[in-house]
Amino acid sequence: MKNKHLISIHDLSAAEVAEIFDVASKMKKSPAKYATALKGKTLGMIFEKSSTRTRVSFEVGMFQLGGHALFLSARDIQLGRGEPISDTAQVLSRYVDGIMARTFAHKTVTDLAEYGSVPVINGLTDLLHPCQGLTDYFTAFEHLGRLKGRKLAYIGDGNNMAHSLMYGGAKVGMHVAIATPKGYEPNPEVVELAKADHAKAKTTLTITNSIEEAVAGADVVETDVWASMGQEGEQEKRVKDFAGWQVDAAVMKKAKKGAIFMHCLPAHRGEEVAAAVCDGPQSVIYDEAENRLHVQKAVMYLLMGGRKRKH
Ligand code: CP
Ligand code: NVA
């Protein structure tokens, strides 16, 4: 992998994404072969926001690779008391071999990469969630067998998940359609970059306010919460603005027959998704959650200089 960091899927080539998927598949199949791949290495994990999957999958992943992970709540380290990010990045780089960070501002993660000297992995920012985006396409690959020419429809808020799925589709040869209510469209700068990525990949990126248009012919239907972390104060307003935007059985019926349903979790059943869909036969939500582990192990292995056991 040429990239030193994983900050945005936009920065990766299609070949690098394929390499991550290939290593993740091998690790999922034969985890023991990689039991000492990152022996003696440490990952520092900075969290400004809550997490279940990201925290546990990275920590367990480092353990399974023979390394160690440190949970660093931003509230408890000096960063939370105003120590500059540049100092934090340089100091941590003297101790650890990689940094994973979940932050509000995207700039915090890019600054960690700029000032530190070790690989930085974006564990979610207000702008992007690349580990989840990669994992979702990996999960789709496992279920659909082939991704090229397929279509993913994302219904809901034009948020970090929408952005990472927009970037990811172009790297795996999938058409992407994002449907949001008016006023909740994805970030225009991300749309512009993702449109260029899709044009290069000869796939389409559709941004629409129509659920029907997005799900028509979709092999994958995905949604996410209406109010992301940091937007708790807007919850009530958003519930009103997103009325009619639930992914329910009727929406799934408009997608391709046999389409799969994905959600990065945590999910709010009865809001963005009906329980019957989230817990129904088309849902692959727990495969997605599990695959965070395998995909992130592959990312850490490729970025942090992992070595496979010879025997
Ligand atoms: N999907 C995801 O990133 O979950 P957590 O917020 O629990 O880490
Ligand atoms: N969009 C959600 C994703 C959570 C994994 C958030 O940022 O809170």
Side-chain angles (χ1 to χ4, degrees):
M1 190 147 145
K2 272 216 297 285
N3 265 280
K4 185 176 171 192
H5 309 288
L6 173 57
I7 291 178
S8 169
I9 302 176
H10 171 70
D11 303 331
L12 303 178
S13 65
E16 285 175 320
V17 172
E19 186 184 15
I20 293 169
F21 286 7
D22 181 51
V23 174
S25 290
K26 288 181 177 140
M27 286 181 164
K28 188 170 181 177
K29 219 169 126 209
S30 317
K33 281 194 183 147
Y34 299 86
T36 56
L38 291 180
K39 195 174 168 198
K41 305 226 174 186
T42 303
L43 178 77
M45 310 191 297
I46 299 174
F47 282 91
E48 289 182 354
K49 293 172 171 170
S50 303
S51 170
T52 298
R53 282 143 289 268
T54 305
R55 177 178 175 180
V56 176
S57 56
F58 268 105
E59 189 161 337
V60 170
M62 265 317 265
F63 175 73
Q64 291 184 358
L65 292 169
H68 182 66
L70 284 176
F71 173 70
L72 306 167
S73 162
R75 275 184 298 277
D76 300 330
I77 58 174
Q78 298 289 5
L79 185 67
R81 293 182 59 249
E83 181 165 16
I85 294 157
S86 52
D87 281 352
T88 305
Q90 290 178 80
V91 170
L92 285 181
S93 295
R94 300 287 179 107
Y95 301 131
V96 302
D97 305 282
I99 297 172
M100 188 278 287
R102 165 168 286 196
T103 63
F104 289 95
H106 186 68
K107 191 172 183 302
T108 307
V109 167
T110 55
D111 280 356
L112 285 168
E114 184 179 341
Y115 296 107
S117 54
V118 297
V120 171
I121 300 171
N122 178 354
L124 180 148
T125 64
D126 288 347
L127 190 71
L128 298 171
H129 196 0
C131 292
Q132 187 72 54
L134 286 172
T135 299
D136 291 356
Y137 285 109
F138 179 77
T139 307
F141 172 68
E142 285 188 330
H143 281 272
L144 305 175
R146 158 184 69 81
L147 294 182
K148 278 207 172 19
R150 304 264 197 187
K151 178 180 178 185
L152 178 140
Y154 171 92
I155 313 297
D157 186 24
N159 63 11
N160 44 13
M161 274 313 305
H163 296 157
S164 286
L165 291 171
M166 282 156 57
Y167 283 144
K171 309 295 170 165
V172 299
M174 274 181 79
H175 307 294
V176 176
I178 306 287
T180 72
K182 285 209 167 72
Y184 290 96
E185 289 84 2
N187 177 309
E189 284 169 38
V190 175
V191 172
E192 200 180 311
L193 289 173
K195 278 232 154 123
D197 286 350
H198 277 274
K200 217 170 104 191
K202 298 195 166 53
T203 47
T204 57
L205 173 62
T206 310
I207 311 292
T208 173
N209 301 120
S210 157
I211 296 178
E212 283 70 23
E213 186 189 353
V215 296
D219 301 277
V220 180
V221 178
E222 177 148 1
T223 187
D224 188 17
V225 291
W226 291 337
S228 285
M229 289 181 277
Q231 299 172 333
E232 290 78 6
E234 296 174 30
Q235 172 73 18
E236 227 172 281
K237 179 181 176 348
R238 282 172 174 261
V239 166
K240 282 195 199 117
D241 292 349
F242 281 82
W245 281 81
Q246 184 180 94
V247 175
D248 56 12
V251 170
M252 290 305 292
K253 259 215 177 99
K254 290 176 187 149
K256 217 185 246 174
K257 199 165 172 268
I260 56 172
F261 170 77
M262 297 210 285
H263 192 308
C264 65
L265 304 180
H268 294 79
R269 291 165 176 80
E271 291 186 23
E272 75 274 7
V273 60
V277 170
C278 204
D279 305 314
Q282 289 167 284
S283 174
V284 299
I285 55 173
Y286 302 119
D287 292 340
E288 268 180 279
E290 178 189 332
N291 284 335
R292 290 290 301 277
L293 174 69
H294 309 299
V295 169
Q296 289 160 193
K297 279 171 72 177
V299 168
M300 292 190 286
Y301 175 85
L302 292 168
L303 293 181
M304 294 167 67
R307 276 181 224 294
K308 194 171 145 187
R309 225 161 52 194
K310 286 206 182 76
H311 51 88

